């Protein structure tokens, strides 16, 4: 591209950047991590799993409770004694009170409680993987939307420079018409082309505004917040397919969550098998008792002391439900294994496809950059010839459109390359969150 067109692009971009707040990518990511509702929900869900991972939920700790039982009665009572005498009392009151502290503790249940504790730990780890997946997904959206705005800024700059040229064409055509060297048709064609460029610019600006609203939504802030993004796209050309695949197998959050789901299914089967073994419970407590009766040999009694005991139960037959539950749990383990393998294949397929696209787009960037340079030079030569009247306005318009199309393709190729890079890093679990 000629120095003149580069200057026009620079002036346009510099003016708009100075007139609006510049939002850097790092600032956008920081805001999203702090404000985005989906990220907040994912973090809370991870905290819930962390909170639930304790010995009490696994059933490893005893339960201690305070007990109180107070019974009162009032009867018309008639008692016949052994010697035949009869004792009667109307509205005889009876009172009994029991209170104390008791402890219940399951000390063996076929090791199911230990499997449950391990399952809670796995659920906590799975929650963290799911949280990481959500964070990466939302931050990836921020990346892609941000670079989409950069692409659109570049397209707007290209169209704006074309409008400058279209204005020059109208002025030149009008001057030539005034001195009788051009027809009115040439002036009208130039004005039509100018209006076409203006219409294209308005549509592009509207699309640009809508994308800014989308980014504000991801950042969970006022949707009408105005800002400007930087105007450069850089690329990481050191990505290696083998390294990305290896990192993804170790760090991809979705794959890790699926592997943990398989482990949860294994532990669920272990818990179900534990139901075949005896359950042993220990109970103890310290109780106080007191009772009163208006009629009888003992009218008042009280006591206190330590109570304890042990109970054991062994399952013998439950309608073959145990066998069915174990069989179902085994199928769930098998399905979980299939899902892990399926996730691995899907992940590898995505990485392979994206990596090919990325490598191709890197080459396309070089070609499209060269096309922009050639189209810019061609436009310069065409405009020079147009000013001295050696070519038609149609040829000028063709050169102008070629320049715009080359600039748009170049911006779009950069954007598509960046999308491939972002998606590759997200799948490999190495997308920067800073």
């Amino acid at each position: 591209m000629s120095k003149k067109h580069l200057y026009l692009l620079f002036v346009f971009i510099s003016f708009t950047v100075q007139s609006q707040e510049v939002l850097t990518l790092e600032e956008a990511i920081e805001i999203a991590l702090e404000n985005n509702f989906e990220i907040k929900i994912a973090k809370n869900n991870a905290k819930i799993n962390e909170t639930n991972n304790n010995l009490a939920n696994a059933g490893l700790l005893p339960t201690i409770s305070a007990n109180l039982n107070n019974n009162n009665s009032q009867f018309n009572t008639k008692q016949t004694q052994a010697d035949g005498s009869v004792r009667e009392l109307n509205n005889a009151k009876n009172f009994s009170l029991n209170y104390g502290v008791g402890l219940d503790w399951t000390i063996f249940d076929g090791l199911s409680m230990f499997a449950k504790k391990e399952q809670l730990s796995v659920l906590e780890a799975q929650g963290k993987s799911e949280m990481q997946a959500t964070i990466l997904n939302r931050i990836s959206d921020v990346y892609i939307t941000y670079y989409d705005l950069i692409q659109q800024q570049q397209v707007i700059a290209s169209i704006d420079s074309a409008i400058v040229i279209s204005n020059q064409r109208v002025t030149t055509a009008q001057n030539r018409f005034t001195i009788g060297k051009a027809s009115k048709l040439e002036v009208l064609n130039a004005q039509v082309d100018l209006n076409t460029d203006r219409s294209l610019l308005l549509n592009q600006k509207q699309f640009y505004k809508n994308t800014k609203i989308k980014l504000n939504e991801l950042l969970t802030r006022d949707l009408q917040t105005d800002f400007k993004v930087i105007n450069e796209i850089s690329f990481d050309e050191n990505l290696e397919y083998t390294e990305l695949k290896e990192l993804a197998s170790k760090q991809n959050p979705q794959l890790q969550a699926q592997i943990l789901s398989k482990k949860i299914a294994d532990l669920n089967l272990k818990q179900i098998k534990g139901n075949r073994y005896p359950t042993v419970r220990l109970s103890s407590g310290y109780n106080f008792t007191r009772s009163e009766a208006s009629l009888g040999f003992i009218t008042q009694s009280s006591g206190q002391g330590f109570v304890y005991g042990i109970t054991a139960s062994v399952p013998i037959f439950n309608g073959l439900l145990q066998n069915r539950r174990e069989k179902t749990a085994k199928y769930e383990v098998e399905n979980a294994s299939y899902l892990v393998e399926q996730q691995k294949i899907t992940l590898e397929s995505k990485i392979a496809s994206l990596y090919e696209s990325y490598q191709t787009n890197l080459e396309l960037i070089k070609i499209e950059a060269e096309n922009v340079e050639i189209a810019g030079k061609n436009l310069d030569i065409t405009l020079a010839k147009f000013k001295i009247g050696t070519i038609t306005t149609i040829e000028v318009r063709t050169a102008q459109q070629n320049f715009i199309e080359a600039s748009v393709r170049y911006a779009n190729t950069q954007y598509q390359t960046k999308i491939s890079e972002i998606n590759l890093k997200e799948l490999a679990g190495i997308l920067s969150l800073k």
Side-chain angles (χ1 to χ4, degrees):
M1 188 190 303
S2 69
K3 292 182 179 179
K4 178 175 67 178
H5 294 116
L6 285 172
Y7 175 75
L8 290 172
L9 289 174
F10 176 76
V11 169
F12 173 76
I13 294 169
S14 298
F15 174 76
T16 52
V17 167
Q18 290 174 3
S19 61
Q20 296 175 354
E21 172 198 356
V22 176
L23 176 69
T24 66
L25 179 59
E26 292 76 13
E27 290 171 342
I29 293 172
E30 184 179 354
I31 294 172
L33 288 172
E34 183 178 351
N35 293 347
N36 186 270
F37 288 126
E38 289 185 63
I39 292 177
K40 287 183 177 181
I41 291 171
K43 288 181 178 179
N44 281 342
N45 287 336
K47 290 178 182 178
I48 290 172
N49 289 329
E50 181 181 357
T51 303
N52 287 334
N53 182 18
N54 57 70
L55 296 175
N57 265 346
L60 287 165
L61 297 181
T63 58
I64 300 175
S65 57
N67 304 301
L68 173 67
N69 186 12
N70 183 6
N71 293 313
N72 295 273
S73 63
Q74 187 170 335
F75 292 99
N76 294 330
T77 304
K78 180 178 180 181
Q79 294 180 350
T80 301
Q81 306 297 317
D83 58 2
S85 62
V86 176
R87 302 175 62 189
E88 292 186 59
L89 181 64
N90 293 329
N91 295 322
K93 296 180 179 180
N94 297 288
F95 162 77
S96 67
L97 175 65
N98 295 282
Y99 61 94
V101 177
L103 178 147
D104 291 293
W105 192 1
T106 300
I107 57 176
F108 183 78
D109 63 350
L111 303 179
S112 292
M113 65 179 74
F114 297 100
K116 176 65 175 177
K117 178 61 179 71
E118 188 176 356
Q119 188 180 61
L120 290 173
S121 297
V122 175
L123 284 170
E124 180 182 349
Q126 187 183 48
K128 291 179 180 178
S129 292
E130 291 172 349
M131 177 189 69
Q132 185 69 10
T134 299
I135 291 174
L136 284 175
N137 286 336
R138 296 293 73 78
I139 296 305
S140 175
D141 291 339
V142 172
Y143 268 96
I144 291 173
T145 307
Y146 189 90
Y147 283 109
D148 190 12
L149 288 172
I150 294 178
Q151 173 206 207
Q152 292 178 43
Q153 280 184 175
Q154 295 173 346
V155 171
I156 289 172
S158 299
I159 299 172
D160 190 74
S161 65
I163 289 176
V164 173
I165 297 172
S166 294
N167 273 313
Q168 292 176 352
R169 281 183 55 206
V170 171
T171 301
T172 301
Q174 186 65 49
N175 292 336
R176 292 176 62 184
F177 173 73
T178 302
I179 61 176
K181 289 187 176 182
S183 66
K184 185 65 176 177
L185 180 61
E186 184 177 317
V187 177
L188 294 176
N189 284 335
Q191 289 176 337
V192 169
D193 291 339
L194 175 60
N195 288 335
T196 299
D197 292 340
R198 286 173 175 171
S199 176
L200 182 62
L201 180 61
L202 285 174
N203 287 329
Q204 185 61 46
K205 284 185 175 180
Q206 180 59 46
F207 187 41
Y208 178 68
K209 289 179 180 178
N210 289 339
T211 307
K212 287 207 291 187
I213 291 174
K214 179 181 177 181
L215 183 57
N216 281 328
E217 180 186 1
L218 289 171
L219 304 186
T220 316
R221 63 180 188 175
D222 187 353
L223 299 180
Q224 301 305 320
T225 301
D226 200 10
F227 62 92
K228 193 74 177 178
V229 298
I230 62 173
N231 205 55
E232 296 180 359
I233 300 180
S234 58
F235 305 98
D236 184 355
E237 298 187 23
N238 298 318
L239 297 179
E240 295 292 338
Y241 173 71
T242 303
E243 183 181 0
L244 288 169
K245 187 170 69 171
E246 184 178 349
L247 287 171
S249 65
K250 298 177 182 178
Q251 299 179 177
N252 181 266
Q254 287 88 354
L255 177 59
Q256 297 307 310
Q258 196 63 61
I259 292 173
L260 291 171
S261 292
K262 163 66 168 56
K263 193 169 184 179
I264 290 172
D266 290 333
L267 291 170
N268 183 57
L269 174 60
K270 189 174 181 180
Q271 290 180 67
I272 292 175
K273 286 184 175 180
N275 293 331
R276 289 186 176 275
Y277 298 93
T279 300
V280 181
R281 293 185 176 87
L282 176 68
S283 62
S284 64
Y286 196 87
N287 292 335
F288 298 84
T289 63
R290 181 181 176 183
S291 63
E292 296 180 4
S294 299
L295 183 67
F297 292 104
I298 301 175
T299 58
Q300 181 177 336
S301 68
S302 63
Q304 65 182 57
F306 181 70
V307 295
Y308 57 91
I310 188 170
T311 60
S313 61
V314 181
I316 297 177
F317 180 75
N318 64 352
L320 301 178
L321 286 177
Q322 178 65 26
N323 291 337
R324 295 188 182 96
R325 287 169 182 167
E326 287 185 19
K327 193 173 183 180
T328 299
K330 288 178 181 178
Y331 285 134
E332 291 174 349
V333 170
E334 190 174 356
N335 285 341
S337 299
Y338 293 150
L339 289 172
V340 170
E341 295 305 315
Q342 182 183 34
Q343 184 70 24
K344 288 180 179 179
I345 294 174
T346 300
L347 182 59
E348 186 174 346
S349 174
K350 286 181 179 179
I351 291 176
S353 178
L354 285 169
Y355 191 77
E356 288 299 322
S357 298
Y358 182 64
Q359 292 297 316
T360 301
N361 285 329
L362 284 175
E363 294 300 319
L364 285 174
I365 287 176
K366 300 175 183 178
I367 296 173
E368 294 301 341
E370 184 179 351
N371 282 338
V372 171
E373 185 69 24
I374 294 172
K377 291 179 180 179
N378 181 61
L379 181 58
D380 289 338
I381 295 171
T382 303
L383 288 174
K385 290 184 177 181
F386 175 69
K387 289 179 180 178
I388 62 176
T390 59
I391 61 174
T392 64
T393 56
I394 294 177
E395 292 174 294
V396 176
R397 184 59 177 173
T398 300
Q400 189 180 11
Q401 288 179 327
N402 287 340
F403 172 71
I404 295 175
E405 290 172 1
S407 299
V408 171
R409 285 199 310 272
Y410 178 55
N412 183 258
T413 301
Q414 290 187 89
Y415 175 58
Q416 293 301 325
T417 306
K418 198 63 184 179
I419 288 179
S420 298
E421 178 188 321
I422 292 167
N423 288 335
L424 281 170
K425 289 183 175 181
E426 179 186 355
L427 291 174
I430 57 174
L431 186 64
S432 176
L433 303 181
K434 297 181 181 180

